Amino acid sequence: MKRMAVVLAAGQGKRMKSKLYKVLHPVCGKPMVGHVLDTIKATGCERTVVIVGHGAEKVMAYIGQDAEYALQETQLGTGHAVQQAKALIGGEQGTTVVAYGDTPLIASATLQGLMELHEERGAAVTVLTAVMEDPSGLGRIIRNAEGELVKIVEQKDCTPDEAAIREINTGIYCFDNAKLFAALEEVTPNNMQGEYYLTDVIGILRGQGDLVLAYQTDDASEAIGVNDRLALSEAEAYMRARINKGHMLNGVTIIDPASTYIGADVVIGADTVLHPGTILKGKTVIGEDCVIGPASEIEDGVVMDGACVKQSILSQAQVGARTTVGPFAYLRPGTVLGEEVKVGDFVEIKNAVIGDGSKVPHLSYVGDAKIGKNVNFGCGAITANYDGYNKDITTIEDNAFIGSNANLIAPVTVGKGAYVVAGSTITRSVAENDLAVARVRQENKPGYAEKIRARAKAKKDQSSPS
Ligand code: UD1
Ligand code: CA
């Protein structure tokens, strides 16, 4: 059976009080509509139509080629919204899922279960329902004495008896595509809100003798529709718990899930340990047997097997296998660390490749550099890569030794096995195995300290006589 989807995302989202269009608000780092589309994709839908209206350009720009679009110029209700997809998929035969772009928690296993029941039973519509502690504002599921779904009544159209029902319409459905678009023709806006309700299709199909089913999820959080920032934070908390649980079941140790924030698309290998205060964002990939945190933030980073990152911030940086980073390192975009590298405390690295076995243990800045293997970059040594206009490259070849507090003024190359003595300011390249000294030669003046102290004391006594 061909599977399709219609995702409603035309509403304005006024209650978000935001410049950002509602369905683009992120939950665990990914826009809500992105979550919904990924879940739909996982159920094997061949065509997905997103109904756009408010903020259409921004929504389409985010989703791109992953969907087709239908514009709903004025928002006349959920039924009207789905109808906009008719020109695109109205002629298809198959199953159509309808979901909202602002219900990010719908799980693919639930959607799969809903579709399977619907297709096995050959239903005209199957509604995903949930039982809510507080059903206010939601459409109520009206069942007959046999327990069959008869119709859905919106809160504003409910009798007091209906309003007391706690089983609600999640707003997620499976339809027989042809029957959906035929029934939509019969929907009228004769209700309290003057809208074309998609929910009226259920009563219409049932009235014409079609099979109408309900599929109840026992996880009511899946139905959370985000209308304001409170619901957004609630969705975030549920999503975070779900993501953390998934990683733990895959063999990742999370010492304190409550203080561990993992983005929806992050990948983590087994036997990795995440310490409290770990934040993993974007497309970050962490290998196996790594130790991350405490207090580390990695965005779009790659950390290979057995590496360790403590109290550090990484952005678009790559860390090789068994390399250690931190505490208090800042790895900026373009950082590529090889295997068994050591980057220690108060080190900043930007746009630099550092070869296997090299060490930058303390208090260094390495920017726009190519550093070979087994290089020692002494305490406080830095690259001076910027002259106010240009960024120049520093190259340090294998086995070179850069003494403490050296300044390497780019562009400059230090050859293989060369030695730069501590405190040097290097402005010219150093050839292989040469030694470079670029500092004033030391002079010692015997007993001069006493003389200087006496002079200083005399000056003080003169300015403040006792
Ligand atoms: C809808 C359901 C209700 C269900 C609830 C679950 C109807 C009539 N009611 O109510 O039974 O319990 O969802 O959350 O369907 N949208 C458009 N175009 C429109 C109208 C809405 O794109 O013209 C989008 C909105 O942006 C939103 C979604 O559809 O994402 C739901 O619309 P909303 O008006 O909030 O429906 P509810 O009143 O919540
Ligand atoms: Ca220094």
Side-chain angles (χ1 to χ4, degrees):
M1 179 101 44
K2 185 165 189 172
R3 289 177 167 184
M4 294 154 282
V6 177
V7 176
L8 274 50
Q12 188 173 11
K14 268 190 209 147
R15 280 170 287 169
M16 295 298 283
K17 307 226 166 104
S18 178
K19 290 178 282 301
L20 185 63
Y21 180 63
K22 178 161 84 171
V23 296
L24 296 180
H25 274 265
V27 168
C28 292
K30 179 149 79 180
M32 293 195 275
V33 70
H35 284 282
V36 175
L37 290 172
D38 286 351
T39 303
I40 283 169
K41 209 179 199 172
T43 62
C45 285
E46 291 171 51
R47 298 184 70 179
T48 299
V49 181
V50 179
I51 310 299
V52 292
H54 289 281
E57 280 104 77
K58 295 246 161 71
V59 175
M60 292 192 290
Y62 166 68
I63 299 169
Q65 304 295 312
D66 283 355
E68 301 168 65
Y69 302 96
L71 183 67
Q72 186 192 25
E73 277 175 41
T74 44
Q75 280 69 59
L76 303 178
T78 49
H80 180 257
V82 174
Q83 215 166 12
Q84 309 311 305
K86 189 176 181 178
L88 288 168
I89 57 168
E92 296 272 13
Q93 298 291 325
T95 302
T96 298
V97 172
V98 174
Y100 305 148
D102 59 7
T103 51
L105 289 155
I106 175 68
S108 46
T110 303
L111 207 51
Q112 197 70 42
L114 175 77
M115 294 177 95
E116 275 164 18
L117 174 74
H118 176 84
E119 288 169 355
E120 276 164 28
R121 298 282 306 277
V125 59
T126 308
V127 181
L128 183 67
T129 74
V131 175
M132 291 280 199
E133 283 292 315
D134 174 14
S136 56
L138 297 165
R140 304 301 202 279
I141 298 297
I142 312 297
R143 293 175 183 267
N144 63 15
E146 285 72 48
E148 296 164 339
L149 169 55
V150 178
K151 60 178 176 174
I152 297 172
V153 181
E154 291 309 296
Q155 165 98 28
K156 287 182 180 149
D157 304 296
C158 275
T159 64
D161 278 354
E162 288 168 342
I165 293 170
R166 286 173 45 236
E167 186 182 13
I168 58 89
N169 170 26
T170 61
I172 294 159
Y173 324 77
C174 262
F175 289 97
D176 172 293
N177 191 65
K179 287 183 172 164
L180 165 64
F181 286 103
L184 277 172
E185 298 295 323
E186 294 173 41
V187 172
T188 62
N190 300 329
N191 51 56
M192 290 300 289
Q193 303 185 84
E195 287 182 2
Y196 293 87
Y197 288 166
L198 176 60
T199 44
D200 284 357
V201 166
I202 283 80
I204 291 166
L205 292 172
R206 165 110 193 160
Q208 66 195 37
D210 280 316
L211 181 60
V212 170
L213 297 176
Y215 180 87
Q216 203 184 86
T217 167
D218 47 19
D219 181 1
S221 73
E222 287 190 71
I224 292 174
V226 173
N227 290 320
D228 58 23
R229 308 272 182 158
L230 293 176
L232 185 67
S233 76
E234 205 186 338
E236 177 90 19
Y238 278 110
M239 184 68 83
R240 173 152 36 106
R242 189 192 285 177
I243 290 170
N244 286 355
K245 184 177 167 188
H247 289 294
M248 289 187 276
L249 293 175
N250 282 339
V252 176
T253 294
I254 302 181
I255 303 293
D256 180 22
S259 70
T260 304
Y261 303 79
I262 305 172
D265 295 327
V266 171
V267 176
I268 310 174
D271 287 318
T272 281
V273 178
L274 306 182
H275 286 280
T278 292
I279 304 173
L280 304 176
K281 297 173 161 177
K283 304 274 179 222
T284 293
V285 177
I286 310 282
E288 295 184 1
D289 305 307
C290 294
V291 177
I292 310 293
S296 293
E297 180 175 335
I298 304 178
E299 180 161 23
D300 297 328
V302 175
V303 177
M304 296 185 186
D305 295 352
C308 171
V309 175
K310 282 183 176 183
Q311 282 101 347
S312 291
I313 297 181
L314 281 65
S315 171
Q316 294 167 45
Q318 185 177 315
V319 174
R322 299 175 305 285
T323 282
T324 64
V325 175
F328 315 117
Y330 182 24
L331 306 187
R332 294 166 51 202
T335 297
V336 178
L337 308 182
E339 296 184 359
E340 292 175 38
V341 167
K342 176 184 165 70
V343 169
D345 51 281
F346 306 106
V347 170
E348 176 176 337
I349 301 179
K350 182 214 79 169
N351 187 35
V353 178
I354 298 188
D356 297 349
S358 289
K359 294 184 172 67
V360 190
H362 3 244
L363 300 161
S364 285
Y365 172 61
V366 180
D368 303 309
K370 290 181 200 137
I371 296 184
K373 295 180 183 170
N374 300 311
V375 167
N376 188 84
F377 209 85
C379 176
I382 60 128
T383 57
N385 59 322
Y386 186 48
D387 60 9
Y389 297 93
N390 311 288
K391 301 259 167 87
D392 286 303
I393 302 288
T394 301
T395 304
I396 302 174
E397 295 175 356
D398 296 352
N399 304 308
F401 185 95
I402 309 299
S404 291
N405 234 32
N407 298 315
L408 303 167
I409 315 290
V412 73
T413 297
V414 177
K416 279 187 191 150
Y419 199 105
V420 170
V421 304
S424 291
T425 291
I426 300 297
T427 53
R428 286 182 290 132
S429 290
V430 182
E432 211 174 301
N433 287 319
D434 281 2
L435 178 135
V437 198
R439 64 187 187 203
V440 176
R441 189 173 282 278
Q442 182 172 334
E443 190 188 346
N444 289 357
K445 301 192 175 187
Y448 204 82
E450 257 316 301
K451 214 165 141 184
I452 246 181
R453 264 195 297 274
R455 197 193 288 165
K457 186 171 181 296
K459 187 180 173 194
K460 188 180 180 210
D461 292 349
Q462 208 175 21
S463 63
S464 54
S466 49

